[in-house]
Amino acid sequence: MRDSLFEAVRRRLRALYSAKRFGQFASAGLVGALVDNGLLFALVEFAAVSFVPAKVVAWVAAIGTIFVINERLTFASYGSSRARAVGWRLVRSYQVRFAGFLVTLTVFIALVHVGIWYIAANVIGIGVGCFVNYTLESLHTWQVHRSER
């Protein structure tokens, strides 16, 4: 049992190490961060929405954007391209990114609370959540440790 668990962990760690894939993931994340920050700014400054609800709306929009980029670029060779399979990956993506969102939101709220400008706090939170998201998206949503299609 120990050997199989050890091998499973080792296989997943090996699968995570891909400079190219992480670069593509980070690029998609950069586009998502632009969507997130742009919408956050617009909601707070022009629609007078408070920080936390505005952050939630901005996050939902950004994750949808990131998913499309990752599906077409970063993880294009993983999983079936059938509509049902893509739909399930979208559901899993929102589920696993919720963990990253909790990290991001916690950092965001803490930094805003101590007086950091909300956009700067958001960027820092996104950066911290990025590593949680990469790990969970790679292993759960697109299952990179399994064979390519």
Side-chain angles (χ1 to χ4, degrees), residues 15-139:
L16 285 175
Y17 182 74
S18 169
K20 178 183 177 187
R21 189 172 54 244
F22 184 78
Q24 290 170 330
F25 185 85
S27 296
L30 179 60
V31 173
L34 292 172
V35 169
D36 190 319
N37 283 304
L39 191 51
L40 176 63
F41 182 81
L43 289 170
V44 169
E45 298 299 329
F46 302 120
V49 176
S50 65
F51 296 127
V52 174
K55 173 59 185 163
V56 171
V57 170
W59 174 79
V60 169
I63 297 311
T65 302
I66 292 168
F67 176 82
V68 169
I69 296 169
N70 279 329
E71 180 70 21
R72 297 289 181 207
L73 175 68
T74 310
F75 300 104
S77 64
Y78 296 93
S80 170
S81 59
R82 293 182 321 192
R84 183 177 176 148
V86 172
W88 277 113
R89 281 195 298 277
L90 177 62
V91 168
R92 282 195 313 264
S93 183
Y94 271 102
Q95 289 172 340
V96 300
R97 282 191 177 261
F98 188 69
F101 174 68
L102 292 177
V103 170
T104 300
L105 187 62
T106 301
V107 171
F108 173 75
I109 291 170
L111 293 177
V112 167
H113 182 73
V114 298
I116 304 293
W117 182 46
Y118 69 95
I119 296 295
N122 194 43
V123 169
I124 294 166
I126 289 169
V128 173
C130 175
F131 295 100
V132 172
N133 289 333
Y134 177 70
T135 301
L136 294 176
E137 288 281 39
S138 294
L139 296 178

Side-chain angles (χ1 to χ4, degrees), residues 11-12 14-15 21 75-81 89 138-139 141-149:
R11 185 175 60 247
R12 283 166 175 76
R14 267 196 322 262
R21 189 172 54 244
F75 300 104
S77 64
Y78 296 93
S80 170
S81 59
R89 281 195 298 277
S138 294
L139 296 178
T141 303
W142 281 279
Q143 301 177 359
V144 299
H145 56 288
R146 296 190 176 173
S147 61
E148 296 181 6
R149 70 173 150 146

